[in-house]
Amino acid sequence: MEKRRVKKPRGLKWLLASYFLQTAVDCVVLLLVWWMGMGFFIRFLVYPANAAQQAARASSQAILENGAFLPELVDPLCRYIVFGPEGEVLQTDMSAGEQEQAQSNYRGDSMQNGFFYPKFYAHSRLENGQTVLLQYDFRQQYRSPALRGLPDFQTCYLLALALVGLFTVFLHTWLFARRLEKAIRKLAQAGGAIAAGELEQGDFSSTGVKELDGAMAAMDTLRKSLAASLKEQWALRRQRQAQVAALAHDLKTPLAVISGNTELLLEEPAGQDGGRKELETILRSARRANDYLAQLVGTAAGAVEEKPRPVELLPLLEELEGTAKALCAQKGVRFCLDRRQEGRIVAGEAGLRRALTNLLDNAARYAPQGGLVELTARLEQGGVTFEVRDNGPGFSAEALRRAGELFYTQDGARGGGHFGFGLAFAAEFARGQGGALRLENGPQGGARVSLWLPLPQPGPAG
């Protein structure tokens, strides 16, 4: 099977030069055709431009030979006027305007001889003192007297030449513009395909214009780079999902052991002493950790977050107090809770509890031995702010810049692990609730993390 020949793309300079050259050649051909057409018309339809001049000379000679003026001696291509010895008009077949010009010529005044079509004359002076002026035009006239009432042939022919010439230039310009438009439209469609994210589709072949092909090649390279980048991101996302799922699976076993043993201890008589409250806290935390694992697996699989619902603020804070004290006790850190705040908010309760627990866990982890972790909640106009403070080393500049980035760790400074899951989830939860998570370092040192959530606006009264 014969391969289809691909046209080599041309530069814009070549295309413009080709356009002008083809237009010029067609105009020259048009002039040649016009010239040959003129010969055809002269042979069959019109007289040559000097036919009237020759007719005037022959008629003037016939009048002189006759010795007296007779109208039948005048050729139809000419007009006549006969002046008497005193300059009076004896005979004429001219119109008033033509007669005025003839009289001006008789007097020797050539200023009124016409502008576009000047009149020419053949003079014949007879022996009887009369003067005969034969007026003629130096232009092409129709051979048939019936056609002489039509517009002037030369004017019509030149007008037709101008119209055909304009049409030729217009046709070449239209074809040239259409070619460029087709190439530019192809380039625009390729860009539109990239903008629409259709990286595996679109026509990125040659446009036929070298300069536009350069832009098309750059867009094709961009398309391939974007496609490769997206594939890499998708692969990384699948890898992270697999890591999260594997981590959640591995954590189920130790949590099940903790929960089972705690339940056994609570069933023993020894569980009735002062340590029962701590055991209940351990059991509650283990069960909550199982809930978190379920949510973590659901998040890795793309599960939908829980819907917001009313949450009493004070019971939530008191529950978080038990968790925070257990976390701080392991690190030898004191915990302080502002109990004065009461009220009701609307949020995803499990997600909010998990986000605040993550913030408390991070604060306890980085507070120094004997340090302090504080939790406060403030109801403000339009929202509620939960603030967790500690007197640890604070956040590094990179940690502040990459706040909330999943799997981000930074060895040797605060931020490693702090951003692995805890703050990443807290930031995502805040965004999902229409709020925000803000990280900063306190004026006296230490870290300060604020979780702000909007309060629902009251609807119009019914």
Side-chain angles (χ1 to χ4, degrees):
M1 182 177 179
E2 184 179 357
K3 294 184 179 179
R4 184 178 180 182
R5 185 178 179 182
V6 180
K7 291 184 179 180
K8 183 179 179 181
R10 302 289 186 177
L12 281 174
K13 291 182 179 179
W14 187 92
L15 291 175
L16 286 172
S18 175
Y19 158 72
F20 284 115
L21 180 62
Q22 291 180 4
T23 304
V25 169
D26 283 355
C27 288
V28 171
V29 172
L30 178 64
L31 286 175
L32 292 176
V33 173
W34 179 84
W35 183 261
M36 291 186 294
M38 178 67 73
F40 172 82
F41 283 115
I42 289 176
R43 183 175 180 181
F44 297 102
L45 188 62
V46 297
Y47 288 112
N50 63 345
Q53 180 187 35
Q54 296 175 358
R57 291 176 179 177
S59 298
S60 179
Q61 184 66 29
I63 292 172
L64 289 175
E65 291 176 356
N66 188 56
F69 173 77
L70 295 174
E72 55 268 20
L73 296 177
V74 180
D75 191 275
L77 295 178
C78 307
R79 295 164 296 278
Y80 64 88
I81 183 170
V82 181
F83 293 97
E86 303 298 329
E88 70 277 15
V89 178
L90 301 179
Q91 297 183 61
T92 184
D93 64 348
M94 298 180 183
S95 63
E98 294 170 340
Q99 183 176 340
E100 182 179 357
Q101 292 185 33
Q103 289 176 334
S104 176
N105 182 271
Y106 177 76
R107 293 191 301 268
D109 183 8
S110 60
M111 297 301 294
Q112 299 183 9
N113 198 26
F115 182 76
F116 289 104
Y117 293 106
K119 307 298 182 181
F120 299 90
Y121 299 91
H123 295 255
S124 300
R125 183 175 294 277
L126 303 178
E127 294 180 357
N128 57 7
Q130 296 178 353
T131 301
V132 180
L133 267 64
L134 301 181
Q135 186 184 72
Y136 62 92
D137 303 310
F138 200 87
R139 59 190 176 92
Q140 294 171 314
Q141 299 189 47
Y142 296 101
R143 291 181 179 272
S144 173
L147 298 178
R148 292 173 189 170
L150 297 176
D152 180 75
F153 170 79
Q154 191 169 344
T155 301
C156 293
Y157 199 68
L158 290 175
L159 180 61
L161 175 65
L163 291 176
V164 174
L166 288 175
F167 175 77
T168 302
V169 174
F170 169 79
L171 181 61
H172 277 279
T173 304
W174 180 77
L175 292 175
F176 177 75
R178 184 181 178 185
R179 181 175 181 180
L180 285 183
E181 182 184 7
K182 183 179 179 181
I184 294 173
R185 187 187 302 114
K186 187 174 184 179
L187 183 67
Q189 289 173 350
I194 294 178
E198 299 174 354
L199 303 182
E200 301 298 332
Q201 302 178 7
D203 184 6
F204 291 85
S205 58
S206 174
T207 63
V209 181
K210 185 181 297 183
E211 288 77 4
L212 296 183
D213 279 0
M216 183 71 82
M219 292 175 62
D220 192 27
T221 302
L222 174 62
R223 175 186 68 87
K224 293 177 180 178
S225 299
L226 287 174
S229 177
L230 286 176
K231 289 180 180 178
E232 183 179 352
Q233 291 181 19
W234 292 334
L236 182 60
R237 181 179 179 182
R238 288 193 295 269
Q239 181 182 2
R240 288 181 174 178
Q241 288 176 347
Q243 291 175 351
V244 172
L247 177 62
H249 181 271
D250 292 342
L251 285 176
K252 285 181 179 180
T253 300
L255 285 175
V257 173
I258 293 173
S259 300
N261 287 302
T262 304
E263 290 175 355
L264 291 175
L265 288 174
L266 287 173
E267 292 175 359
E268 295 293 333
Q272 304 296 328
D273 58 9
R276 182 177 181 84
K277 184 177 180 180
E278 286 75 11
L279 290 174
E280 290 177 346
T281 300
I282 293 174
L283 181 59
R284 185 166 55 249
S285 298
R287 289 173 177 172
R288 191 172 301 126
N290 278 312
D291 294 339
Y292 292 165
L293 281 176
Q295 294 181 23
L296 186 61
V297 174
T299 301
V304 180
E305 295 290 340
E306 61 178 331
K307 294 183 179 180
R309 64 185 185 86
V311 179
E312 293 294 336
L313 192 57
L314 188 56
L316 174 66
L317 295 175
E318 291 177 347
E319 183 179 346
L320 289 171
E321 181 182 17
T323 302
K325 284 183 177 180
L327 293 172
C328 291
Q330 297 175 6
K331 302 292 184 178
V333 178
R334 294 179 293 116
F335 175 74
C336 179
L337 171 66
D338 185 355
R339 297 176 177 273
R340 294 173 295 175
Q341 189 65 67
E342 295 185 6
R344 175 181 290 185
I345 62 175
V346 176
E349 183 177 4
L352 176 60
R353 187 184 296 109
R354 178 184 172 190
L356 293 175
T357 301
N358 289 339
L359 299 184
L360 292 168
D361 178 60
N362 286 334
R365 181 184 305 154
Y366 291 100
Q369 185 76 21
L372 177 65
V373 173
E374 298 178 88
L375 171 62
T376 61
R378 298 188 303 274
L379 279 172
E380 304 165 342
Q381 184 177 4
V384 58
T385 300
F386 297 92
E387 187 175 272
V388 177
R389 299 186 298 274
D390 66 69
N391 57 353
F395 294 106
S396 67
E398 184 180 4
L400 291 174
R401 180 174 60 85
R402 301 178 64 179
E405 183 177 329
L406 186 64
F407 293 111
Y408 164 67
T409 58
Q410 179 178 317
D411 296 332
R414 180 170 181 148
H418 202 75
F419 281 77
F421 287 102
L423 290 183
F425 174 81
E428 183 65 27
F429 170 78
R431 286 192 293 268
Q433 300 288 317
L437 185 73
R438 185 178 65 181
L439 279 67
E440 57 186 346
N441 292 321
Q444 303 300 326
R448 180 183 300 171
V449 182
S450 301
L451 175 63
W452 177 83
L453 299 177
L455 292 177
Q457 299 297 322

